[in-house]
């Protein structure tokens, strides 16, 4: 929508490729209704090469399920296009190696769209760190909470199968690992992790196949999926999912208590960085609140930030959020400073709109290195991949041992 709307003067959307014709028809109708854009040619997944040959695009934007990212990233570059992919770059070391090799072989550009780098809060934290206020950062604490609305949804959709998503330690946490890598301007060396499925899956008291046919739906199941409360949401879900099921069999409202679910809902990791810093990270998907708690500890001070996205902790905070910087080596000369960040209620706290402008218009300076390339994408997903391996094998995992060939500089 951004390319067909606000940035139509600098780029053109020329084609859509998907498994499901019903969904492609829906988006063509949305493009016309929302942006006045003409319908674009649609191609089934098997006709990807034909789309590239006929439309001759400069770049391909990849938004498939995570386990297929590598297929379309690599094929796009082999056919002479640059590639833009959502996070995560990919889900395992073998696919990461394939992407790394293809970038090196083709010389094409690969962009990974880490929109959280562009959020006002993260941008301000980065500016504080670049100014050297905290000295050398030696320790990071990062706790991310998904509430029982957002968190549960990962256990209804295709993400519930680790083969598709790499689990939340890859699919979701890659956002968070990238932020830390970016804040530190460093790369991970070793990872040790734990993970369990403690709430969803076979832990549930009841189960069915899907919400719309479940006998427990009307009996107050706490994870019953409700879309009919919002007419706009209902229309979108009807067109993208319920009416599209016959085309590919994908069910959007699978039961969160199904026994075949194999991703974790409770995770923690310790990451040792090449420069010596340590990250203590945790993620759970069943909290009463949604958001994060971040602390960065340096030789000259400490920065504390908290952000609430939903759940019981969601509250009006006026026109700005604040985070706290504590400096000074002794209590007698300790200084506490609060920095206000204006609240932006658009997508990802205003990060999406700035990312779109950087990506499509290319008219923004990048002093904070917010635009992420192939190496950034690899380093963030490799932490999650190493964490999964550490959990499975019960041992620390070195990042360097995951790839046969080193990752080149950002391309």
């Amino acid at each position: 929508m951004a390319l067909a709307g606000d940035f139509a003067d600098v780029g053109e959307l020329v084609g859509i490729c998907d498994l499901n014709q019903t969904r492609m028809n829906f988006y063509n109708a949305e493009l016309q209704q929302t942006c006045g854009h003409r319908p674009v040619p649609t191609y089934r997944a098997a006709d990807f090469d034909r789309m590239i040959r006929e439309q001759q695009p400069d770049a391909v934007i990849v938004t498939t399920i995570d386990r297929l990212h590598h297929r379309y990233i690599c094929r796009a570059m082999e056919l002479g296009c640059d590639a833009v992919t959502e996070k995560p770059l990919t889900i395992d070391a073998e696919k990461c190696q394939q992407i790394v090799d293809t970038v090196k072989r083709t010389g094409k550009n690969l962009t990974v769209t880490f929109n959280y780098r562009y959020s006002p809060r993260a941008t301000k934290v980065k500016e504080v760190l670049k100014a050297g206020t905290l000295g050398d950062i030696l320790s990071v604490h990062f706790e991310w909470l998904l509430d029982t609305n957002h968190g549960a949804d990962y256990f209804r959709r295709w993400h519930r199968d680790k083969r598709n998503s790499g689990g939340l330690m890859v699919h979701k946490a890659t956002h968070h690992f990238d932020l830390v890598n970016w804040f530190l301007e460093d790369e991970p060396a070793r990872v040790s992790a734990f993970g369990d499925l403690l709430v969803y899956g076979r832990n549930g008291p009841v189960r069915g196949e899907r919400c719309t046919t479940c006998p427990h739906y009307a009996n107050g199941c706490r994870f019953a999926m409700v879309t009919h409360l919002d007419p706009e949401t209902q229309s979108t879900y009807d067109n993208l999912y319920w009416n599209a099921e016959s085309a590919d069999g994908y069910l959007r409202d699978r039961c969160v208590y199904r026994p075949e679910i194999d991703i974790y809902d409770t995770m923690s990791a310790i990451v040792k960085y090449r420069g010596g810093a340590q990250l203590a990270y945790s993620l759970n998907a069943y909290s009463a609140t949604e958001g994060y708690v971040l602390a960065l500890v340096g030789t000259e001070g400490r920065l504390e930030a908290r952000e609430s996205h939903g759940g019981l902790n969601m509250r009006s905070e006026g026109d700005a959020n604040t985070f706290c910087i504590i400096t000074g080596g002794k209590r007698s000369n300790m200084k506490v400073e609060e920095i206000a960040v204006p609240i932006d209620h658009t997508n990802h706290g205003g990060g999406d709109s700035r990312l779109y402008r950087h990506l499509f218009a290319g008219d923004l300076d990048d002093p904070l290195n917010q635009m992420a390339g192939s190496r950034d994408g690899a380093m963030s997903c490799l932490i999650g991949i190493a964490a999964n391996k550490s959990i499975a094998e019960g041992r620390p995992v070195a990042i360097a041992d995951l790839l046969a060939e080193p990752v080149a500089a950002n391309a």
Side-chain angles (χ1 to χ4, degrees):
M1 292 301 173
L3 182 58
D6 292 343
F7 298 96
D9 60 328
V10 294
E12 181 183 3
L13 181 66
V14 296
I16 306 173
C17 180
D18 195 79
L19 290 170
N20 192 305
Q21 186 65 48
T22 302
R23 293 197 193 100
M24 290 191 286
N25 293 343
F26 167 73
Y27 276 113
N28 255 331
E30 284 287 289
L31 285 168
Q32 190 166 12
Q33 181 177 346
T34 305
C35 307
H37 195 282
R38 62 172 177 78
V40 299
T42 61
Y43 298 82
R44 298 299 297 270
D47 296 323
F48 179 79
D49 284 21
R50 182 165 67 88
M51 178 180 72
I52 302 302
R53 184 173 64 252
E54 292 180 356
Q55 302 302 326
Q56 299 184 353
D58 298 301
V60 171
I61 301 173
V62 179
T63 61
T64 66
I65 62 174
D66 299 346
R67 71 178 171 87
L68 296 178
H69 281 184
H70 73 293
R71 178 184 299 179
Y72 295 101
I73 291 170
C74 293
R75 190 60 183 148
M77 292 190 291
E78 289 168 349
L79 293 173
C81 304
D82 290 333
V84 178
T85 183
E86 62 180 355
K87 61 81 189 168
L89 179 64
T90 188
I91 65 167
D92 61 43
E94 292 75 22
K95 294 179 178 63
C96 186
Q97 184 73 69
Q98 183 178 341
I99 294 170
V100 167
D101 292 345
T102 305
V103 169
K104 182 178 180 180
R105 185 176 72 253
T106 64
K108 304 306 293 183
N109 292 323
L110 173 59
T111 301
V112 186
T113 54
F114 286 119
N115 46 10
Y116 245 106
R117 290 188 179 196
Y118 290 86
S119 71
R121 173 71 64 90
T123 299
K124 181 60 70 173
V125 169
K126 180 67 172 181
E127 289 172 350
V128 169
L129 297 176
K130 288 286 286 185
T133 306
L134 304 184
D136 297 327
I137 304 300
L138 304 179
S139 176
V140 182
H141 166 83
F142 204 164
E143 176 188 24
W144 197 283
L145 305 169
L146 295 168
D147 65 22
T148 51
N149 178 36
H150 185 191
D153 218 27
Y154 291 110
F155 297 82
R156 298 186 184 105
R157 300 180 287 174
W158 54 266
H159 311 73
R160 69 214 303 263
D161 184 346
K162 192 179 292 185
R163 184 180 66 94
N164 287 333
S165 66
L168 293 178
M169 196 63 107
V170 172
H171 174 82
K172 184 64 179 176
T174 189
H175 254 323
H176 317 146
F177 296 142
D178 176 70
L179 275 181
V180 177
N181 294 351
W182 181 58
F183 286 154
L184 296 177
E185 298 184 1
D186 200 358
E187 294 181 347
R190 295 175 66 82
V191 179
S192 185
F194 294 92
D196 286 293
L197 181 60
L198 301 178
V199 172
Y200 304 106
R202 60 178 56 88
N203 297 291
V206 296
R207 60 186 48 84
E209 176 60 28
R210 58 184 304 191
C211 286
T212 50
T213 60
C214 182
H216 306 289
Y217 183 90
N219 296 328
C221 174
R222 67 184 296 219
F223 292 120
M225 183 177 176
V226 180
T227 62
H228 64 273
L229 298 179
D230 182 343
E232 183 176 346
T233 299
Q234 181 62 42
S235 175
T236 300
Y237 276 71
D238 282 347
N239 286 291
L240 280 182
Y241 302 113
W242 318 139
N243 298 342
E245 287 178 2
S246 61
D248 61 9
Y250 176 65
L251 305 182
R252 175 63 176 79
D253 62 335
R254 299 290 302 278
C255 177
V256 302
Y257 290 140
R258 294 294 301 172
E260 66 268 20
I261 294 172
D262 66 352
I263 65 172
Y264 310 123
D265 56 25
T266 309
M267 294 142 279
S268 60
I270 301 294
V271 183
K272 178 75 170 181
Y273 280 80
R274 293 179 179 178
Q278 298 178 24
L279 163 66
Y281 173 80
S282 67
L283 170 66
N284 80 62
Y286 47 84
S287 174
T289 64
E290 171 127 354
Y292 67 78
V293 178
L294 169 69
L296 295 148
V297 183
T299 54
E300 302 297 327
R302 172 184 173 93
L303 183 150
E304 298 174 356
R306 181 186 298 267
E307 190 165 299
S308 299
H309 302 152
L312 298 179
N313 206 35
M314 191 65 177
R315 59 192 184 278
S316 174
E317 299 185 55
D319 296 325
N321 281 319
T322 61
F323 62 86
C324 180
I325 298 174
I326 305 169
T327 54
K330 298 180 180 179
R331 291 184 181 178
S332 59
N333 66 355
M334 188 177 294
K335 178 183 177 183
V336 179
E337 178 184 4
E338 288 192 348
I339 296 180
V341 181
I343 294 176
D344 188 324
H345 294 289
T346 60
N347 289 346
H348 293 95
D352 284 7
S353 59
R354 186 172 174 82
L355 170 63
Y356 292 153
R357 183 177 170 189
H358 207 160
L359 181 65
F360 294 129
D363 61 350
L364 294 178
D365 293 331
D366 194 14
L368 300 179
N369 193 31
Q370 287 171 297
M371 183 61 75
S374 55
R375 188 178 183 96
D376 301 314
M379 288 301 158
S380 65
C381 76
L382 284 170
I383 297 178
I385 292 165
N388 281 338
K389 187 175 181 66
S390 174
I391 294 166
E393 299 180 3
R395 65 176 183 86
V397 174
I399 297 294
D401 292 344
L402 295 175
L403 298 181
E405 295 291 334
V407 182
N410 280 322

